[in-house]
Amino acid sequence: MQKYFSNQKNGILLFNVQKENKQKIELFYDTKNFEVYCFCQVLLHDNMNNKIESDFLLVGGFNVERREGRIKLFKILYNAIGNINNIEYLNDIEIGFEGAVNSIIQSEKYGNILSSCYDGYIFVYQN
């Protein structure tokens, strides 16, 4: 979520929808001067090449203060009954894109991660 007006905030909006009681829980994580453009949940591969969703998110966007694109690593935090109750910032991926990171995807077959940014470059991160 990107702010467009001074009274808004940059951040990540998370939804937890519980089918059994039709309850919707909204959580907002303020990313301050980081404009979020995309995200990708990281998939892991076991020895049998099965895909397993991890508790990690890659979030791409633009750091307004540094004037450069960034990818940030977050961990998804769950409550006792398995619903998302927050996310935790872990680290920046130190690459320093010239433009905003606008797309992150992960190959289901090989696990490689691809990101693109507004400066026209595409980056591949191999396992």
Side-chain angles (χ1 to χ4, degrees):
M1 180 175 253
Q2 179 182 355
K3 76 176 185 176
Y4 294 98
F5 302 103
S6 60
N7 64 336
Q8 294 178 324
K9 295 180 179 182
N10 293 313
I12 300 169
L13 183 61
L14 301 167
F15 286 97
N16 240 340
V17 179
Q18 299 170 346
K19 293 179 184 178
E20 36 312 321
N21 57 10
K22 298 180 183 175
Q23 182 181 8
K24 178 180 75 170
I25 301 167
E26 293 181 15
L27 304 163
F28 182 78
Y29 183 90
D30 188 354
T31 58
K32 312 240 185 287
N33 291 317
F34 183 71
E35 297 175 344
V36 175
Y37 285 76
C38 59
F39 62 91
C40 176
Q41 186 171 6
V42 177
L43 294 174
L44 303 175
H45 293 79
D46 65 12
N47 293 343
M48 303 298 291
N49 206 27
N50 295 314
K51 292 149 206 69
I52 304 163
E53 288 184 358
S54 75
D55 296 341
F56 298 98
L57 285 177
L58 294 173
V59 178
F62 189 74
N63 184 309
V64 177
E65 285 181 345
R66 292 182 166 210
R67 307 294 304 156
E68 65 183 8
R70 287 285 176 146
I71 296 177
K72 295 181 174 287
L73 177 64
F74 286 86
K75 183 173 184 180
I76 303 168
L77 304 174
Y78 297 91
N79 62 18
I81 58 172
N83 292 322
I84 297 172
N85 70 350
N86 210 345
I87 59 174
E88 173 186 15
Y89 165 76
L90 297 177
N91 203 358
D92 274 9
I93 309 297
E94 295 289 337
I95 294 180
F97 304 93
E98 289 188 29
V101 176
N102 62 344
S103 177
I104 303 173
I105 59 172
Q106 184 176 12
S107 164
E108 289 190 25
K109 185 172 184 178
Y110 300 109
N112 297 340
I113 296 172
L114 292 99
S115 68
S116 64
C117 55
Y118 283 172
D119 63 10
Y121 288 98
I122 296 174
F123 298 87
V124 178
Y125 314 95
Q126 296 179 336
N127 283 341

